């Protein structure tokens, strides 16, 4: 999904607490580079490894396809990579770049790519 230096999946301000709802995490382990994230709520399935308040950098829960996470955009800014942690999935396009930069509401934006732009291109 890398679209050059002006096309990002999401934008987040620096030094902010960002909350996001992830989907598809029952089949695709979500991995975020640079910022660990905290589970905001107790996911379905009663797994002892996934509790509200726990910190992760990879999340896969076959019993619940969505989860709310929170992370703090401190220390690092600029492009940040997020992807499916199954390497063959990343290689086929389940990888994106988010931008962390700026401050205030104008520095925040979610789902900035159209569905067509998100579709992986297979060789």
């Amino acid at each position: 999904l890398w679209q050059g230096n002006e096309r990002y999946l999401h934008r987040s301000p620096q030094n902010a607490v960002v909350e996001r709802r992830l989907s598809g995490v029952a089949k695709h382990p979500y991995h975020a580079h640079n910022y660990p994230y905290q589970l905001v709520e107790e996911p379905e399935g009663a797994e002892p490894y996934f509790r509200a308040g726990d910190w992760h950098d990879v999340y896969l829960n076959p019993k619940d396809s969505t989860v709310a996470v929170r992370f703090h955009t401190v220390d690092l800014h600029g492009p940040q990579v997020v992807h499916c942690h199954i390497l063959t999935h990343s290689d086929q396009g389940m990888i994106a770049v988010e931008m962390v930069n700026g401050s205030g509401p104008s520095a925040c934006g979610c789902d900035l790519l159209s569905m067509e732009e998100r579709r992986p291109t297979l060789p």
Side-chain angles (χ1 to χ4, degrees), residues 44-107:
E44 295 292 320
E47 293 288 334
Y49 190 70
F50 301 123
R51 297 286 185 222
D54 288 351
W55 290 88
H56 294 273
D57 74 344
V58 176
Y59 182 83
L60 171 71
N61 183 355
K63 297 179 181 180
D64 194 353
S65 66
T66 63
V67 66
V69 299
R70 186 178 296 140
F71 56 96
H72 189 197
T73 58
V74 66
D75 296 330
L76 302 169
H77 66 280
Q80 312 291 320
V81 175
V82 296
H83 62 92
C84 176
H85 218 242
I86 298 172
L87 187 55
T88 55
H89 293 186
S90 291
D91 287 349
Q92 293 177 357
M94 292 189 81
I95 187 167
V97 177
E98 300 183 358
M99 176 54 81
V100 175
N101 203 3
S103 63
S106 64

